Amino acid sequence: MEIGRSLGYLRALRSLIKGSKMTSQIIKSASLGFPRMGARRELKTALEQFWKGNISKDDLLKTAADLRKRHWKLQKDKGIDVIPSNDFSLYDHVLDTAIMVGAIPAEYKANGENNDILKTYFAMARGREGNNDCGCGNHHIDSNIKALEMTKWFDTNYHYIVPEINAKQSFKLQSEKLITEFLEAKAEGIVTRPVLLGPVTFLLLAKCREDDIEPLSLLSRLLPVYQDVLAQLKSVGCPWVQMDEPILVTALSANQKSAFDYAYKILGDAEKFPRIMLTSYFGDVGDNLKTVLSLPVKGYHIDLVRGKKQLDAFVSHIRPEQTLSLGVIDGRNIWRSDLNALIDRLKPVVEKLGTERIQIATSCSLLHVPIDLNLEVNLDDELKSWLSFASQKLDELHILCQALSGNAAAVTGRLAANKAALNGRKSSKRIRNNLVQKQLENVKKDRARRASPYSTRHEKQKAILNLPLFPTTTIGSFPQSPDVRKARSDYTKGIIDKTTYESFITKRIGEAIKWQEEVGLDVLVHGEFERNDMVQYFGEQLEGFAFTRHGWVQSYGSRCVRPPIIFGDVSRPRPMTVKWWQVAQSFTSKIVKGMLTGPVTILNWSFVRDDQPREDTCRQIALAIRNEVEDLEKAGAKIIQIDEAALREGLPFKEKDKAYYLEWAVECFRLTQSTVKDTTEIHTHMCYSEFNDIITAIADMDADVISIETSRSKMELLDVFKQFKYPNEIGPGVYDIHSPRVPSTEEILELLGYALQRLEAKQLWVNPDCGLKTRQWEEVKPAIANMVAAAKTLRKTVSV
Ligand code: GLN
Ligand code: ZN
């Protein structure tokens, strides 16, 4: 070929490529789910009014429909291309799925309510008052239908209803919700991508009433329902579905992996069904990669915030007919993304796969972040410029898609603003406290241990505390009755002044101390009347924390929480609890426990800064709590309890990450008390009962006394403490505080009997399962009296 001709050829080729670039489509932005509650928590209000009987079912459904419509429109206006439907739920999306497939335990269908599916739905979610009162005047818990169990959705603070199935279970498509909501959006001119919880995750999250059957063994029975609903979606013009299989980020057995093969070979049939975007989130797919890549689905959504490293593998292995959805905008945290860095990171992917085969998405549903930063009036502008809530995250998606599709000119201003805000955050004086940073460096070298081993401390503590065998105590809080909550809210609103409020709290503490003395408890508490929440109360008094007005995130059903935002180095400017402890101690000569929330729990229930390792932030909180521990000790507290209600829930999914987490979490807990005297007795409390897999870490916490939840398991959960020969003292809960029922002395004695089969008498404390703030005094008073009576009886019969 002569040179002239070949140059011309090259030129033509170049213009062809250029031309194709110019006509290439803009990358699609995808939202995986939007918060359900509404900016003013409209859904919460409607649900609670409906449950009270104040509004009709139609009113409730109308509020729900209005919210869906508003949220679809909002996403469309923000320029989102792939908008979800069926991400909405009246209570919980796992429960919706259970209803959809007809996994409804028989008792919920009772009372002729077969045809009112909403009644069944809420009965499964919340239980139902029984109506077979025998007339004896006692409250029979058994005459009520209990709610299904609720548990945490992976490592989020969202709780789902655990589906219950049985060996004879048959599945049948029971609800139209998925189709109805797709059509509802279509009528608004929006063709959505419906979200379905995938069949494998659904079954692996479900539990079976009979122990000997594995829910996953019912997969072949369940799949026809999915086929049914997918075929219906296809027939109404639905091109794609988002099939959520978050279980893919956990370690799966060979059997579980083949369940994926089996299911998606059937559901992946794009002739019969909409195309499937197989969606994983909350981490990388790890060892499941090969399985995932072999499935006959048309797309993968991957979490590139928590599973950064999986990008290359997917880019090199996806097949030509597949789409890759890149989850780069963090659906779990509230920080503004570094868009320029993301553009650099994703450019090579766009070059390799082209703009048509990729989508840019949120890492997971936006369910876990507040709805709109613009509602915040209390946060200052600087702090706000660092943050991004659900609505702002949609803007970020849009900007990224434009910039990566060769349309950077359209978004230059916004990219510059993004850069300026991030630079501002990096250089802000507010996030850095040099003293704290210096302390942090020092404690990293510290092993955070108490001066003497447990056996030495124990002897000294025993001599000072002078407690009887089976000492009795409570976990900290007493009923937060309406008048307590009203006083606090009146004080916050300025309706009553500080003196009035404080004398109210003082009076309450005085009464609580008097009653505890009368009922005969050995170690008293002040009752936590002044606390709104066990994390917020501390966060509000620490430097480095911010609080939103409207930053609500759904926790379960209609319940929402406002997690604090940890934006800077944490320190404690002044004592937080010492005064109320002193007030309480001034009323009695018995021992009053100091009561604190531990660093790991504060961390796990907050939005944590992303500019330093989580463990460093946790160490800073630990140091702040340590200052408080020291001040309590100085003021005379002989026993200090540091609650770690949420230590277990921070546990990573993968074995290899677990050990590292436990190591720093436990170290942080120990750090809070490494400076106290041998004679000071440190307690901790944990709100759960499964310790089998973490018993070594629990022992390594080295608390002198630990109280745990056990009343519902006949103390079998103590087996692991026995096998481990756990050396320190334990208070296994003997009163189930989740129920209004008052346990009798005999029952408590029975439970203590079971405990004595597993632990030595001298190790045992006697206490309820958890704090009593959600209970009523009428239940608490007799229950605690029975508990004390049980301990006294036992002292007469058992000796050491
Ligand atoms: N001290 C707290 C209370 O009694 C502990 C609660 C908890 O750990 N959830 O309320
Ligand atoms: Zn608890």
Side-chain angles (χ1 to χ4, degrees), residues 467-625:
L467 292 167
L469 192 61
F470 309 119
T472 53
T473 191
T474 60
I475 306 302
S477 58
F478 285 135
Q480 288 258 334
S481 45
D483 58 330
V484 173
R485 273 183 270 132
K486 181 165 186 316
R488 194 167 48 239
S489 113
D490 283 354
Y491 174 50
T492 321
K493 289 185 194 143
I495 298 171
I496 58 171
D497 63 11
K498 194 170 175 201
T499 324
T500 314
Y501 173 68
E502 295 196 337
S503 49
F504 172 86
I505 297 288
T506 304
K507 193 161 155 265
R508 277 305 145 95
I509 294 178
E511 289 161 5
I513 295 288
K514 186 158 170 277
W515 167 73
Q516 291 175 86
E517 284 187 330
E518 282 164 8
V519 79
L521 281 159
D522 299 306
V523 173
L524 315 193
V525 297
H526 77 288
E528 301 180 26
F529 301 108
E530 78 289 7
R531 301 188 188 175
N532 37 18
D533 169 273
M534 65 186 286
V535 168
Q536 191 180 348
Y537 181 76
F538 291 93
E540 280 173 349
Q541 301 185 74
L542 293 168
E543 295 288 335
F545 280 73
F547 289 84
T548 61
R549 266 294 289 285
H550 302 283
W552 297 101
V553 177
Q554 188 175 9
S555 169
Y556 63 88
S558 67
R559 200 181 139 75
C560 302
V561 294
R562 271 180 309 182
I565 297 172
I566 307 178
F567 66 87
D569 289 343
V570 176
S571 60
R572 186 207 65 150
R574 59 193 72 82
M576 305 183 282
T577 64
V578 177
K579 187 173 101 185
W580 292 124
W581 175 83
Q582 280 170 322
V583 167
Q585 189 65 80
S586 74
F587 290 125
T588 180
S589 55
K590 286 199 157 183
I591 298 169
V592 178
K593 280 195 273 194
M595 194 62 62
L596 305 172
T597 302
V600 189
T601 299
I602 294 179
L603 186 90
N604 283 344
W605 286 348
S606 300
F607 286 122
V608 180
R609 60 192 287 193
D610 59 351
D611 58 350
Q612 69 180 18
R614 261 177 105 77
E615 51 270 38
D616 284 354
T617 304
C618 197
R619 286 191 183 98
Q620 293 183 355
I621 306 170
L623 287 172
I625 299 294

Side-chain angles (χ1 to χ4, degrees), residues 475 645 685-688 709 769-771:
I475 306 302
H685 166 71
M686 297 196 157
C687 287
Y688 34 84
E709 189 179 309
D769 265 343
C770 193

